[in-house]
Amino acid sequence: MLFSEKLPLAVALSLLLLSLLGCGEKTVVGITESKLEASQNCIGCHEATVSLVTGKSVTDEWKLSAHNLNSKAGCVDCHFETLNNSLWHPDCTKCHGGSPITGTKGLPPFAIKNPDSYGSCLKCHTGDGGFRLSTYNGETVNTAQAHFNNITSGMITRTYTRLYFSNISTFVIKSAATATANWASSGYKPVRGDSSRYGCRACHNPHDTTSKISILRQWARSGHGDPSSAARTNLDFKARGSNVTANTTVGAICVRCHTTTGFINYVVSDFNNVAAFAPANGPDHSKEVTGCNVCHDDGRGNAYNYNLRNVLQANPARSGVPAFYNYSAATGGNSKATPSTTVRGIQINYPNVSSSNICIVCHMGREIGSVIKRAALNGLDFTKTARISAHDFAAGSNLFQESGFEFYTSAAKYPDTSIRHTIAGMNNFQGTGSRGPCIACHMSSTESHTFMPVTKDLSGTITSITSLACAKCHPSAVTNNKSMDKDLLEFNRQGFKTAMTVLRSFLVRSGSNNIGTLNTVGSVSYKTDWSKACTGTAAALASTDNVQFKVPGSGDLAGGPDSIRAPAYSMGAAFNYELLYADFGAYVHNPNYVKRLIFDSIDWLQDCSLTSTNGTDVCSSIADPVAKAYLCGTTNLRP
């Protein structure tokens, strides 16, 4: 008789149970085991299992994580609903006998194949626990709020940074429709859509949650990752989209850049889909930041291998990112003009700048200066029109010289002077890599995911250059401290800031020429009658049309006769001010182009005419020595 036949039934059943325990975590009564020790039996079978996303051993990745190192979560914690379920792993019966259980593989009572989409992370990480205060570089973040944005009132604290100053202030979240206070977020969702890929894995490697933690902490302290920033809380951006395709819509398209879901929908649809994905004033008040999976995607919808997204994947034949600048006096540009005027069909195809294409998508401006001219030709009434706006952070269109309202029709007045910033990061120019100019300059520091090439104090003063790219093209930055150091960069910033103040003084001047009122943050609130800027000027008095005169040399955008009237040029000057005010690195992105936009705007607003002396008269009229040096240099001429 076999030995096993002599065993009492109870002993035989006990041995069977112990054999089945080998397929899950070991449970030893009275002994505290680490998660690594408890997971050894799982590792024994799965040690060679390779992640389909990262290409690395899943057990090796897990061993690097805080889940293992701090003994917080082992294999069973994530891959089984309960410890008992781990006893019935379907493959165990192949060796240990027993009747296989029934169900759907990948879901309980079997091992959970995708713990993230199943919700296993929420066993520990909820809005009520599983998070802590995280301090990094002296800044403390409540990680529970960062993940769930569980704001309990309408008042939040946020940092506000603009050209003239930075400060920390409080802000009341308001409903887009009713403008009532205490409209707080009920939850925060990093991204929606394909739950088999997104969720926690939109940013985190599910096995190795720790190796990239410093990068995640940098991102969380940037404007891209701050759930309390104005870009997330000013409006319910997921509800602000259009069912009309991007190339023709004149409606709100905020969703494409103020939410992760909207961005992904836009780029995977070949830059067509700008539809909202929630109803206006609905019960869902959750927000989305610019998540990791905006920039990171492996071409199959997975983010956590941290490959950079190819935004041209949907149409590889494209030569670069397209931008559609459409306008409606009824729905766009904050306009109140009547009758309604629309502008469609202004499309700029930006150059292919490698992975920096990701950045161009949302940093190319909502409108550009030529929209104002086209609207004028289409009959826009500039005596009843709110300012047409470029929106914020149009660094890409400034860099590629597509952004501003240009007062001259001659291209010779605006030669390409981007001082090679457009080719930084292209084909490893000067050792700057091959990921395009945005990434080369903004992400080459040791704190890459702050996206900051410099450090500043609270007043905005530059305290250091952190981008490693600057010294590649300006070698004196690391040798004799002359060609491009923080002091020279701060000197240029002060020149830009002061020149902008001179321009602003014409926009808010008192008297019959007044077209705006200065706000405390440095921006301007504008009137809707742009003809007032030319009241009493010699150019207006000499014309039978008075303040509505056609501007000499304005043309008609097609080489025809002068057809654009003075009020459009006055709006153009305001457009340039706000364009550059909202890109407080403009003086670096394209220094000479920016100087010309400021100079020409000042020139126009002085007397509603343009210099006939190549700028000597304008330079002589600028009293501030810092602004004059910045704009006119030593030549005393237009830059």
Side-chain angles (χ1 to χ4, degrees), residues 261-442:
T261 301
F263 180 94
I264 294 173
N265 289 343
Y266 182 56
V267 298
V268 301
S269 67
D270 190 23
F271 309 102
N272 284 303
N273 183 353
V274 288
F277 55 92
N281 303 311
D284 179 7
H285 294 171
S286 61
K287 308 294 191 296
E288 293 184 8
V289 294
T290 302
C292 306
N293 50 331
V294 162
C295 301
H296 297 286
D297 181 81
D298 64 357
R300 296 174 294 140
N302 302 299
Y304 64 86
N305 60 4
Y306 305 113
N307 290 346
L308 287 170
R309 178 183 293 277
N310 175 13
V311 297
L312 304 180
Q313 181 180 355
N315 185 356
R318 282 197 180 276
S319 60
V321 173
F324 310 108
Y325 298 107
N326 303 318
Y327 167 77
S328 168
T331 61
N334 300 317
S335 183
K336 302 174 183 177
T338 53
S340 177
T341 301
T342 58
V343 173
R344 287 188 173 93
I346 295 182
Q347 177 176 335
I348 302 294
N349 294 308
Y350 285 88
N352 188 335
V353 285
S354 186
S355 295
S356 290
N357 288 333
I358 300 167
C359 315
I360 296 295
V361 172
C362 287
H363 290 283
M364 56 191 176
R366 183 66 181 87
E367 305 291 2
I368 55 177
S370 60
V371 170
I372 297 174
K373 294 183 179 182
R374 177 59 64 190
L377 294 171
N378 288 0
L380 183 63
D381 184 351
F382 282 87
T383 66
K384 300 177 181 178
T385 303
R387 175 177 60 91
I388 295 175
S389 169
H391 202 45
D392 289 344
F393 302 110
S397 56
N398 285 332
L399 177 67
F400 288 101
Q401 216 157 294
E402 300 286 358
S403 56
F405 183 93
E406 298 180 356
F407 288 81
Y408 296 92
T409 56
S410 170
K413 289 288 189 178
Y414 302 99
D416 183 3
T417 55
S418 56
I419 60 168
R420 296 187 173 181
H421 283 174
T422 55
I423 58 174
M426 300 299 293
N427 301 312
N428 201 29
F429 175 74
Q430 294 290 101
T432 55
S434 300
R435 292 181 171 180
C438 309
I439 293 175
C441 296
H442 283 265

Side-chain angles (χ1 to χ4, degrees), residues 9-10 26 65 78 81 94 133 377 416 465 538 590 619 622:
L9 178 60
K26 297 182 290 183
S65 74
C78 298
E81 194 167 54
K94 294 178 182 178
L133 295 179
L377 294 171
D416 183 3
I465 297 175
N590 198 329
C619 290
I622 299 175

Side-chain angles (χ1 to χ4, degrees), residues 477-562:
V478 293
T479 55
N480 57 27
N481 210 34
K482 288 184 178 179
S483 181
M484 183 52 67
D485 63 5
K486 68 177 180 63
D487 296 323
L488 179 57
L489 198 58
E490 174 61 18
F491 177 80
N492 291 339
R493 188 186 77 89
Q494 289 294 340
F496 169 64
K497 175 180 172 181
T498 308
M500 286 283 285
T501 303
V502 173
L503 169 55
R504 187 181 67 189
S505 69
F506 286 98
L507 296 169
V508 300
R509 60 189 166 186
S510 59
S512 58
N513 301 98
N514 174 262
I515 54 175
T517 303
L518 178 63
N519 298 322
T520 56
V521 296
S523 61
V524 177
S525 294
Y526 296 93
K527 298 180 179 179
T528 58
D529 186 352
W530 297 92
S531 68
K532 289 182 177 296
C534 295
T535 301
T537 61
L541 294 174
S543 170
T544 55
D545 293 322
N546 201 351
V547 293
Q548 295 278 0
F549 67 90
K550 292 180 181 178
V551 179
S554 63
D556 65 352
L557 298 182
D562 296 337

